[in-house]
Amino acid sequence: MPEVIVIGGGAAGMMAALTARQEGADVTLLERMEKLGRKIYITGKGRCNFTNHCTLDDFLPEVPRNPRFLYAALAQFSPEDMIAFLEREGCPTVEERGRRMYPASQKASDVTRVFEHALRKAGVRVQLNTRVREIRTEGGIISGVTLENGTVLSADRVILATGGKSYPGTGSTGDGYAFASALGHTVLPPRPSLSALVTKEAWPSQLQGLSLKNVELSAVRGKKRLYRERGEMLFTHFGISGPLVLEMSCHLDEPLEENTVSLCLKPALTREQLDARLLREIQENPRQNLAHMLENLLPKRFAALFPSLCHLSPDIPAGSVTKDMRLSLVDGLLFLPLTVTRFRPLEEAIVTRGGVKVSEINPATMESKRVPGLYLAGEVLDVDAHTGGYNLQIAFATGHLAGMHAARS
């Protein structure tokens, strides 16, 4: 019976430990925090959007970097398999907007509880408040781990599932990067992904808390389009956030100032249709000031601010708006530029971009190509996806594949 040690008790680690045990291995799961699945508790705003109920063909386009690396893992353990696992373990699920899957109870704790019960029932040894100092090798092959207190645990295989560096309060402090690097792996610098963005312009702070729906956000770099989608966004005291912004952040390259970001407030209208709409509003409300008239097109707070963004006075009577002024408003409504200067801190990002280079990992098994007996799973790898349950599914699928092959090898 192979001895397997799993480092990290998050989504990937718990799935890896459970799968390895079910495949016949003797498994020890080491978690540095006082409980398992700390990051799961905060996903989906505490409701745990644990996967996305989509096909493999629909899933891979939601992964901006290295999607093909995940093909085998997702084919072996699909979103359908994850749903079936929870249902089988007594956790009913429900599908919501955008094929997002949640526990029917709307409690993330129920997902963690399923894993805790399954691990206990399977006979996995779980050691909490246990931090690893190093992964040990003999002759270039995995031999076990040394704990922070000096204790040596021997093992035939080690699965590294320590997560990234976002939300360090959940235990994701980047330990796995140091372990992998010490064993000869290339670690791409960790950066924020699914992150809010800081803007050079100060005006978004004047709209702090305002949410816009059915708008379009786009980003280009030179002649290359990086992103263009419709949805919802939010203005904050530092810049912009919300679903569209978080997703766009996955596609932006540094230096961020070289990306041209723009907001289209009326994506359903052509330039001609919008001009005709403005002309009609002006003709019907000639005595209203411009800001008041624009309340028919924009939220009140935004309407008061918008004329100044087009270099116009908000107090000018609508009837005094010239054709050139009107076209300036049209331009602003269709293409409002924003200068993104930086991501919010990595500690605030939903997931980490970067990590262990996937070309150094066998995608069919999740085993290291450099250190026999070392497997890697989850956010420690350089793979991240959009919001919607994709990142947790990646953790579950890579953990499952790693656990399966660690036990069988």
Side-chain angles (χ1 to χ4, degrees):
M1 180 184 294
E3 293 184 341
V4 176
I5 288 177
V6 181
I7 308 174
M14 289 191 295
M15 181 60 80
L18 180 61
T19 305
R21 180 63 185 144
Q22 291 172 338
E23 291 288 332
D26 183 63
V27 183
T28 301
L29 174 59
L30 307 176
E31 167 55 42
R32 61 176 290 178
M33 304 298 285
E34 76 284 356
K35 63 172 66 174
L36 296 174
R38 281 290 299 271
K39 195 169 182 181
I40 287 177
Y41 282 99
I42 62 174
T43 60
K45 297 180 180 178
R47 299 192 299 132
C48 190
N49 174 201
F50 66 87
T51 193
N52 191 284
H53 198 184
C54 65
T55 65
L56 184 56
D57 287 342
D58 288 332
F59 194 110
L60 294 181
E62 301 293 339
V63 184
R65 274 163 295 284
N66 306 313
R68 301 303 299 178
F69 173 78
L70 297 170
Y71 190 92
L74 292 167
Q76 179 65 43
F77 193 79
S78 67
E80 196 73 48
D81 293 323
M82 184 60 204
I83 296 166
F85 165 72
L86 288 180
E87 295 274 358
R88 189 169 59 248
E89 294 293 330
C91 180
T93 64
V94 62
E95 183 172 340
E96 298 187 10
R97 179 181 56 85
R99 303 171 303 201
R100 290 167 165 83
M101 296 300 301
Y102 296 85
S105 65
Q106 304 290 295
K107 294 179 180 178
S109 58
D110 283 355
V111 175
T112 305
R113 193 172 297 116
V114 161
F115 275 102
E116 290 172 337
H117 178 262
L119 289 164
R120 186 167 56 249
K121 184 172 65 173
V124 174
R125 286 186 298 276
V126 178
Q127 295 184 205
L128 302 175
N129 298 301
T130 304
R131 190 164 183 177
V132 173
R133 181 191 299 169
E134 67 170 344
I135 298 175
R136 300 171 64 87
T137 60
E138 290 183 11
I141 299 173
I142 288 295
S143 64
V145 303
T146 302
L147 302 183
E148 193 71 20
N149 63 10
T151 302
V152 174
L153 302 179
S154 62
D156 304 302
R157 324 270 187 268
V158 168
I159 301 175
L160 186 58
T162 47
K165 287 194 74 173
S166 58
Y167 289 110
T170 64
S172 299
T173 56
D175 288 0
Y177 302 141
F179 295 147
S181 180
L183 293 172
H185 274 285
T186 305
V187 177
L188 302 177
R191 295 160 51 193
S193 190
L194 297 179
S195 169
L197 299 170
V198 178
T199 60
K200 179 180 179 180
E201 294 84 2
W203 64 262
S205 66
Q206 299 177 50
L207 300 175
Q208 179 179 349
L210 177 65
S211 178
L212 298 179
K213 297 182 179 181
N214 302 316
V215 296
E216 184 175 275
L217 204 56
S218 63
V220 297
R221 191 180 188 90
K223 294 183 179 180
K224 180 183 178 182
R225 176 180 290 171
L226 303 177
Y227 181 80
R228 183 179 179 183
E229 292 293 340
R230 294 185 188 183
E232 184 176 345
M233 65 170 290
L234 173 73
F235 292 109
T236 70
H237 66 282
F238 54 76
I240 51 177
S241 188
L244 273 182
V245 175
L246 297 180
E247 187 172 290
M248 183 177 71
S249 73
C250 298
H251 300 267
L252 298 183
D253 294 321
E254 295 181 296
L256 293 181
E257 291 90 339
E258 293 182 9
N259 304 298
T260 302
V261 175
S262 63
L263 171 62
C264 178
L265 296 163
K266 297 295 175 182
L269 299 177
T270 66
R271 183 179 177 82
E272 291 74 21
Q273 289 171 331
L274 189 53
D275 185 36
R277 170 75 186 277
L278 275 173
L279 183 59
R280 185 171 70 251
E281 292 291 345
I282 289 169
Q283 292 172 342
E284 292 176 357
N285 306 282
R287 295 183 180 178
Q288 288 185 348
N289 64 31
L290 184 54
H292 192 188
M293 186 208 77
L294 286 171
E295 290 177 20
N296 295 321
L297 288 140
L298 298 170
K300 185 174 182 178
R301 288 170 61 199
F302 205 170
L305 176 67
F306 187 74
S308 63
L309 302 181
C310 302
H311 308 291
L312 299 174
S313 169
D315 298 320
I316 185 176
S320 300
V321 171
T322 65
K323 181 179 179 180
D324 286 344
M325 292 177 180
R326 192 176 73 242
L327 293 179
S328 179
L329 293 170
V330 170
D331 288 340
L333 289 166
L334 294 178
F335 187 91
L336 192 59
L338 287 162
T339 308
V340 174
T341 58
R342 59 186 173 89
F343 298 104
R344 288 291 288 175
L346 176 55
E347 292 76 18
E348 298 178 15
I350 294 176
V351 295
T352 306
R353 174 178 175 177
V356 177
K357 197 171 183 179
V358 297
S359 62
E360 299 171 0
I361 310 298
N362 183 343
T365 63
M366 293 295 135
E367 186 174 17
S368 164
K369 294 178 181 179
R370 301 200 167 183
V371 186
L374 175 66
Y375 294 77
L376 298 94
E379 202 175 338
V380 71
L381 296 165
D382 181 29
V383 182
D384 60 280
H386 296 154
T387 56
Y390 303 104
N391 287 289
L392 268 181
Q393 177 62 35
I394 289 170
F396 293 133
T398 55
H400 182 274
L401 194 62
M404 183 173 67
H405 286 280
R408 292 179 180 179
S409 299

